[in-house]
Amino acid sequence: MLKSNAMQNSAYYHYSPSYKFSIGIEQVKDKYFDADYSYLRLTYLLNRKNTQHSQRNLYLQSGISSDGVDHYFYGVHGDWETRRLFSGFGYKETQTASLDYAEKYLQLGVAPYIGEYGDLHTWLMVKAKHDELTNEWNTYPVLKLFKGNALMEIGYTDASEWDIHFMYRF
Amino acid sequence: MKNFYLLFVMIAAVYTSAQDHQMHDMEGHNHEGHLHDTMVDGKLLEVNAERFDDFVLGLEGKQVAIVSVSGMVCDFCARGIEKTFSKDKTVLKLDVDLSGGKVLIAFDKDKNIDFEDIKKKILSNGQNATDLQIMKI
């Protein structure tokens, strides 16, 4: 998983021994603090509800940095989606030796057409994100595309510029 | 202003993509409804008919397990189902019918299809198998 935004670039390699949790290493190039470090990350599926036309998920996430035990993060994120609608949220608290800060977001989306298995799938989304480091809410459009094992999310805002997320499942 | 321009470009791109998709539909890939009016095990076979017909091509003399799956709302999430069943050497062919919420799995006619095993495999991907119909082709 590759992510790039105004605050950092990161590459996250993870393995899921079961659908309940995944473990991985995230390499971060932190633009705000001008630092490079890695996180050992763990994500746990706390709750999932499957219905015929929807799925709801609630995840816990945490990570400890290669900088030391006083640099870590924890948080929660969740989503509810049908084949037409998507809603998601996230909250992440990061503690470092010098500064503690939180990030939160809300995301809503709609699929303009319903694709079948193997088609190119498209979501039009709006994301509202708050970062304590800048103490600003940014609301911006996001285009999410996926086909096969590849997924890409592209957002753009004047304040934080590009917010790009790419994922490939092996 | 730049955001609105960007949103406009995105909508235009998606509209074009949706138009292409409709053209594709007209060529014989309708994604809406199309329930097969066939009864299997006393129940209506609720699958995308054209997708099902494509799937069973070349499977004469085989059997197909039609598994109802809940929580299968996204193509990206359903990929793991295909990956899991691809490791099973008794599986001849597999397809996912997202609109019908079904997974189609072809086996040899002599294979004893074990629903509990299928349930476990689907659950390992985080979805729930809720029903099984078996159709001899």
Side-chain angles (χ1 to χ4, degrees):
Chain A
M1 188 189 304
L2 302 171
K3 278 170 83 173
S4 178
N5 58 36
M7 307 302 278
Q8 57 179 225
N9 295 333
S10 74
Y12 178 37
Y13 314 92
H14 68 100
Y15 171 69
S16 301
S18 98
Y19 75 95
K20 288 263 188 188
F21 68 96
S22 73
I23 187 163
I25 298 286
E26 182 178 23
Q27 293 171 313
V28 180
K29 182 166 187 56
D30 196 319
K31 297 177 193 173
Y32 189 85
F33 292 106
D34 192 21
D36 295 320
Y37 48 85
S38 300
Y39 282 120
L40 173 64
R41 286 184 54 161
L42 188 69
T43 304
Y44 178 71
L45 175 62
L46 190 66
N47 180 266
R48 169 170 285 176
K49 183 168 175 61
N50 290 322
T51 74
Q52 191 182 351
H53 301 295
S54 70
Q55 187 179 73
R56 184 197 70 206
N57 298 297
L58 186 63
Y59 297 92
L60 294 177
Q61 59 170 341
S62 61
I64 185 160
S65 164
S66 54
D67 278 354
V69 290
D70 54 356
H71 181 179
Y72 57 92
F73 74 82
Y74 55 88
V76 60
H77 59 102
D79 58 67
W80 172 86
E81 65 178 303
T82 68
R83 297 192 67 212
R84 178 69 74 183
L85 301 170
F86 176 91
S87 63
F89 76 96
Y91 179 85
K92 183 177 162 189
E93 181 90 28
T94 303
Q95 314 254 334
T96 70
S98 56
L99 194 63
D100 302 340
Y101 58 94
E103 301 156 76
K104 51 197 165 196
Y105 73 85
L106 289 169
Q107 195 165 355
L108 295 171
V110 62
Y113 62 89
I114 304 291
E116 266 304 336
Y117 193 64
D119 289 345
L120 172 69
H121 297 261
T122 304
W123 286 89
L124 296 177
M125 300 179 141
V126 175
K127 190 168 187 175
K129 195 169 163 183
H130 181 263
D131 195 319
E132 268 186 12
L133 291 173
T134 56
N135 200 27
E136 278 180 1
W137 273 100
N138 285 308
T139 302
Y140 51 97
V142 173
L143 178 65
K144 183 175 176 179
L145 302 166
F146 56 92
K147 182 174 170 61
N149 288 309
L151 179 152
M152 187 176 224
E153 223 176 77
I154 309 164
Y156 183 83
T157 169
D158 285 344
S160 56
E161 301 185 341
W162 294 101
D163 187 354
I164 299 170
H165 178 195
F166 177 76
M167 195 190 314
Y168 190 85
R169 178 178 290 170
F170 293 95
Chain B
M1 191 62 201
K2 212 190 261 180
N3 275 357
F4 284 107
Y5 174 71
L6 195 72
L7 188 62
F8 174 76
V9 170
M10 281 164 54
I11 290 169
V14 170
Y15 179 74
T16 308
S17 168
Q19 289 291 96
D20 287 348
H21 206 69
Q22 281 168 14
M23 294 283 283
H24 185 58
D25 285 349
M26 289 164 68
E27 289 162 10
H29 246 312
N30 199 321
H31 298 158
E32 298 295 333
H34 271 270
L35 304 181
H36 233 244
D37 53 358
T38 305
M39 301 291 280
V40 178
D41 301 334
K43 288 172 279 188
L44 195 66
L45 181 61
E46 294 186 355
V47 294
N48 179 310
E50 287 180 36
R51 200 169 181 100
F52 185 80
D53 290 343
D54 283 348
F55 180 75
V56 297
L57 277 177
L59 289 177
E60 291 80 10
K62 313 293 184 196
Q63 56 180 339
V64 174
I66 301 132
V67 186
S68 301
V69 179
S70 67
M72 199 170 60
V73 292
C74 136
D75 183 309
F76 195 69
C77 318
R79 290 279 145 188
I81 292 177
E82 186 174 350
K83 192 176 166 189
T84 302
F85 280 95
S86 69
K87 291 174 189 162
D88 182 341
K89 289 179 180 169
T90 67
V91 172
L92 303 175
K93 197 174 177 184
L94 181 139
D95 192 25
V96 174
D97 176 1
L98 284 174
S99 58
K102 309 283 185 198
V103 174
L104 312 175
I105 314 161
F107 295 100
D108 263 326
K109 64 175 180 182
D110 301 325
K111 160 83 177 172
N112 179 33
I113 297 174
D114 180 357
F115 190 33
E116 290 307 312
D117 182 53
I118 290 174
K119 276 184 183 173
K120 273 185 205 162
K121 286 189 166 96
I122 301 278
L123 184 61
S124 73
N125 194 54
Q127 285 96 13
N128 302 107
T130 56
D131 195 24
L132 171 69
Q133 292 168 283
I134 297 171
M135 186 181 226
K136 308 280 182 193
I137 306 299

